[in-house]
Amino acid sequence: MAEPNRSTRIGNPLLTNIFTADPGALTYRNTFYIYAGHDEAPRTATDFLMNDWHILSSTDMQHWNDNGPAMRYEVFSWASGQAYAGQTIEKNGKFYWYCPVGTSSGFAIGVAVSDSPLGPWKDARGTSLINSTTVNGSALNIDPTIFTDTDGQTYLYWGSYNTVRMIKLNSDMISYSEPVITPVGLTRYWEAPYLNKIGDKYYFSYAAGANPATIDYAMSDSPAGPWTYKGTINDVTSSPTNHDAIQFFRGKYYFVYHTSDVSGGFDYQRNIAVDLITVNPDGTLNKVVQTKTGPGPAAVDGNIAYFASTSASYSSVEDTILALNDGYEPDTSRDRSKDVFSTRSGKQWVQYEWSEARTIDSVDLYWYDDGAGTRVPASYKLEFWNGSSFEAVPHADGYGVQKDRFNTTKFDMVTTTKLRLELTG
């Protein structure tokens, strides 16, 4: 893996020293990652030339590291070239990169795996997951998008030439048992699918109308559909192709796409760009405004507790409620090198409140436990303000009380002005 090449440029496109395209996005441990194809075709080319992938990363959404070339098509010994649009997902501490590559019998989709979002990567199967022999496969087996729902089920969508397909993956992330499904309701579908979830709704965005393409989207109450078409969210860019990724990071949704601004509209030399996308109160998406300046700096390190006022049912006089959002990360649960917060036994609560609504899907808690009078709680739960009362966050997974580490609780996204931690001592 090459040493990162940090860009000092701010704005769109993110990098101008190489051509990158077809983004997939991942956020992990306070970093935004973009998994991108690498356009290498010369100006005289009549087709794409793509042999490797680059991974762009940023902690502020302004300065970007080029961690590449991060992987070449040769990681799949059965591939013959053509490193096309892929996407990476984390599950159970492993990172899985779903990649379309050329073979002697057409495009196929392989799976690479790593212990790190940056690699190194190896072939997780030794064979392709999707290929020309796949029953009910797409007319062109490219552009995989991968999504894991809160129940742990992972879905893979893919396909071009107006033929989108879906499978449910097995828990090993590299096989499937159920038949390939043809989704319904995806009006004007052409290629480049991307699946995610906002609140309790599922969003499916895709390149629409062939080339030049827009990015359109549909919504559903299920990650498997059926889908209801909603319209266009990204107009035609300077590139004849269009490919997006939508990713939540530090309180905002970012829309990643590519243009051909640097090459003056040349089909086979594209560059990644990022702008904001916003959500209406009814859950629909607003159209992206393509900019040269980009989305501006991200909120500091993603910890929205910084921006909250705090309160509690009781705060011990020897400690301080200010410790609830000072941003300090302790070395151990007994670390008192900075202020700590403690309360008394029994039923207690701690609350964060923001001046404007925040969208939240996880909480990291580091418990103070001095081994004597202050201990981790027996149990706790998270509640959010629904506008008139507190209710439990939906489908919570975590609620750990381990010492000397962050305990992460994930849940379905909620949009709220107040988040409360109910404690039982």
Side-chain angles (χ1 to χ4, degrees):
M1 184 172 64
E3 288 297 316
N5 176 22
R6 183 169 175 84
S7 173
T8 58
R9 184 182 187 281
I10 295 177
N12 287 324
L14 306 183
L15 302 177
T16 57
N17 60 314
I18 63 169
F19 295 107
T20 53
D22 299 331
L26 170 73
T27 54
Y28 182 73
R29 289 187 176 175
N30 208 32
T31 301
F32 195 106
Y33 296 94
I34 298 173
Y35 295 79
H38 178 201
D39 281 338
E40 300 178 74
R43 190 69 183 190
T44 55
T46 58
D47 199 358
F48 296 106
L49 177 62
M50 307 178 78
N51 293 311
D52 58 41
W53 296 271
H54 284 238
I55 304 174
L56 284 60
S57 62
S58 179
T59 57
D60 63 7
M61 300 305 292
Q62 291 197 297
H63 300 92
W64 292 87
N65 292 335
D66 175 15
N67 305 277
M71 184 171 70
R72 290 184 59 84
Y73 73 86
E74 289 99 339
V75 76
F76 305 109
S77 60
W78 40 269
S80 60
Q82 298 168 298
Y84 274 30
Q87 185 182 340
T88 299
I89 192 172
E90 183 272 334
K91 191 171 185 180
N92 299 326
K94 297 286 187 180
F95 297 84
Y96 298 88
W97 195 349
Y98 296 80
C99 304
V101 290
T103 73
S104 59
S105 58
F107 273 94
I109 296 173
V111 187
V113 66
S114 174
D115 294 325
S116 162
L118 294 176
W121 303 89
K122 63 180 181 180
D123 188 347
R125 285 176 50 92
T127 60
S128 59
L129 175 65
I130 303 294
N131 54 51
S132 60
T133 67
T134 299
V135 177
N136 193 34
S138 170
L140 187 62
N141 292 314
I142 63 171
D143 295 352
T145 183
I146 188 78
F147 171 82
T148 298
D149 205 1
T150 51
D151 62 0
Q153 178 61 58
T154 300
Y155 298 80
L156 177 73
Y157 283 80
W158 78 97
S160 183
Y161 292 164
N162 306 113
T163 52
V164 60
R165 299 292 186 262
M166 185 210 80
I167 55 173
K168 292 182 180 180
L169 289 182
N170 295 330
S171 59
D172 63 6
M173 300 293 283
I174 60 172
S175 65
Y176 62 97
S177 303
E178 298 182 15
V180 174
I181 300 300
T182 302
V184 297
L186 300 173
T187 302
R188 301 183 68 239
Y189 178 89
W190 170 241
E191 63 183 5
Y194 203 84
L195 175 62
N196 56 32
K197 187 178 185 181
I198 300 174
D200 61 353
K201 298 293 184 181
Y202 299 87
Y203 293 74
F204 194 89
S205 52
Y206 51 91
N211 297 330
T214 60
I215 296 295
D216 292 8
Y217 82 109
M219 294 174 63
S220 176
D221 293 325
S222 164
W227 298 95
T228 300
Y229 179 74
K230 293 295 182 179
T232 297
I233 51 173
N234 192 37
D235 290 327
V236 171
T237 75
S238 56
S239 168
T241 60
N242 215 331
H243 194 118
D244 82 297
I246 299 173
Q247 187 69 36
F248 184 77
F249 185 62
R250 298 192 195 167
K252 296 180 180 179
Y253 289 96
Y254 292 89
F255 187 89
V256 192
Y257 60 108
H258 65 233
T259 72
S260 290
D261 287 355
V262 175
S263 64
F266 184 54
D267 293 23
Y268 312 118
Q269 294 179 344
R270 300 162 295 177
N271 291 86
I272 299 293
V274 178
D275 279 303
L276 293 174
I277 188 167
T278 55
V279 184
N280 293 310
D282 65 357
T284 58
L285 302 178
N286 289 308
K287 186 177 288 188
V288 173
V289 177
Q290 300 175 21
T291 75
K292 299 294 187 184
T293 56
V300 177
D301 87 2
N303 184 359
I304 64 171
Y306 287 148
F307 311 112
S309 59
T310 56
S311 57
S313 55
Y314 178 81
S315 179
S316 299
V317 293
E318 64 267 30
D319 299 321
T320 174
I321 199 169
L322 297 177
L324 289 171
N325 59 351
D326 64 3
Y328 176 68
E329 297 186 7
D331 291 329
T332 71
S333 289
R334 303 182 71 163
D335 185 353
R336 289 197 67 103
S337 57
K338 297 288 185 182
D339 290 330
V340 300
F341 169 80
S342 62
T343 186
R344 57 188 174 192
S345 61
K347 298 284 187 178
Q348 304 295 337
W349 56 262
V350 172
Q351 181 175 304
Y352 293 83
E353 182 171 358
W354 295 270
S355 59
E356 58 184 16
R358 302 281 180 164
T359 301
I360 309 168
D361 66 353
S362 66
V363 166
D364 293 317
L365 289 167
Y366 203 112
W367 298 108
Y368 174 63
D369 187 320
D370 63 5
T374 304
R375 309 304 300 267
V376 299
S379 63
Y380 62 99
K381 63 180 179 179
L382 289 163
E383 296 180 331
F384 74 101
W385 183 253
N386 64 16
S388 58
S389 62
F390 282 100
E391 68 175 271
V393 296
H395 301 112
D397 180 25
Y399 286 148
V401 291
Q402 295 187 50
K403 293 185 289 185
D404 305 323
R405 54 165 289 182
F406 278 106
N407 292 263
T408 299
T409 297
K410 298 181 179 180
F411 45 90
D412 290 355
M413 283 185 180
V414 298
T415 300
T416 187
T417 58
K418 302 176 187 178
L419 191 69
R420 179 173 285 194
L421 186 68
E422 293 275 0
L423 301 162
T424 300

